[in-house]
Amino acid sequence: MKLFIDTAAIEEIREAASWGVIDGVTTNPSLVAKTGRSLEEALTDILEIVDGPISAEVVSTEADGMIEEGRRLARIHPNVVVKIPMIEEGLKAIRALADEDISVNTTLIFQPAQGLLAAKAGATYLSPFVGRLDDIGEDGMAMVHSLIDMLENYDYPAQVLVASVRNPGHVISAAEMGADVATCPMSVLRQIMKHPLTDIGLEKFLADYNKSR
Ligand code: G3P
């Protein structure tokens, strides 16, 4: 499974990339706004750090505007993936951009049939939001499971990119289900790396080593 980092914060991206396990980056307008920079400024730095798919989201809500923004973002670098929301106008834009061989990540997917529509429209990535479904008492990973099951019956090239990841359990379930990608905030990347017994074990090994010298 590919692991992306879900942030526009350059220091986090640099730190996670230094671990050697980050395959790409996802951003959204809220994450970019937190940095106080423009999307283009953030993208310039991100593209220098990570050589993989970098999702950059449009802010238009009409198909024509999304297509224009998408083309402009895609021209910045071949690694830029245009993120388009799962709305009617978005579907039109996904089809138009896919027909121009521009990679699209369909965002804000909350039920499997939305993912099927985006796959049919030619999206490269489908982003089901698991944490936000869990937040309202639904089962986000069950939705991902259903989406993966559905896609297995057909040949759409679309990849399932599990988004709105909130904890290590989401990452483990995504890998068990065979999701193509999980995109994680830095906090979850740190959580999946850490186990208290690893730290206790290392402390004991080093203490024993130092005693024996
Ligand atoms: O980037 C999209 C998604 O991962 C957002 O996550 O935590 O704001 O629901 P969250």
Side-chain angles (χ1 to χ4, degrees), residues 6 26-28 31 83 107 129 131-132 163-166 183:
D6 195 27
T26 48
T27 68
N28 63 39
L31 294 171
K83 213 168 173 189
T107 188
F129 273 37
R132 293 189 194 186
S164 186
V165 165
R166 300 279 166 77
T183 189

Side-chain angles (χ1 to χ4, degrees), residues 31-172:
L31 294 171
V32 174
K34 273 195 213 166
T35 69
R37 306 167 81 208
S38 71
L39 173 59
E40 289 73 10
E41 284 169 334
L43 272 181
T44 307
D45 287 347
I46 297 170
L47 286 159
E48 272 181 26
I49 302 168
V50 177
D51 183 14
I54 314 295
S55 288
E57 189 159 339
V58 300
V59 288
S60 306
T61 51
E62 300 294 328
D64 287 347
M66 291 183 194
I67 295 165
E68 203 176 301
E69 269 187 77
R71 284 182 185 140
R72 186 171 46 75
L73 289 168
R75 268 197 301 272
I76 296 175
H77 193 281
N79 283 351
V80 171
V81 176
V82 179
K83 213 168 173 189
I84 303 271
M86 180 61 226
I87 57 175
E88 254 180 64
E89 291 294 300
L91 275 182
K92 298 179 199 171
I94 295 165
R95 166 54 64 203
L97 293 170
D99 284 348
E100 294 177 25
D101 288 329
I102 292 174
S103 298
V104 173
N105 175 358
T106 308
T107 188
L108 294 166
I109 290 177
F110 289 97
Q111 53 104 334
Q114 288 181 313
L116 183 65
L117 285 180
K120 284 181 70 71
T124 304
Y125 297 99
L126 311 175
S127 288
F129 273 37
V130 297
R132 293 189 194 186
L133 275 176
D134 291 357
D135 290 347
I136 60 161
E138 293 194 29
D139 184 344
M141 288 315 300
M143 189 264 295
V144 172
H145 203 299
S146 163
L147 177 59
I148 291 173
D149 276 359
M150 278 168 42
L151 293 172
E152 272 171 5
N153 295 326
Y154 307 101
D155 296 325
Y156 303 112
Q159 297 182 43
V160 175
L161 189 165
V162 179
S164 186
V165 165
R166 300 279 166 77
N167 56 60
H170 284 151
V171 180
I172 294 165

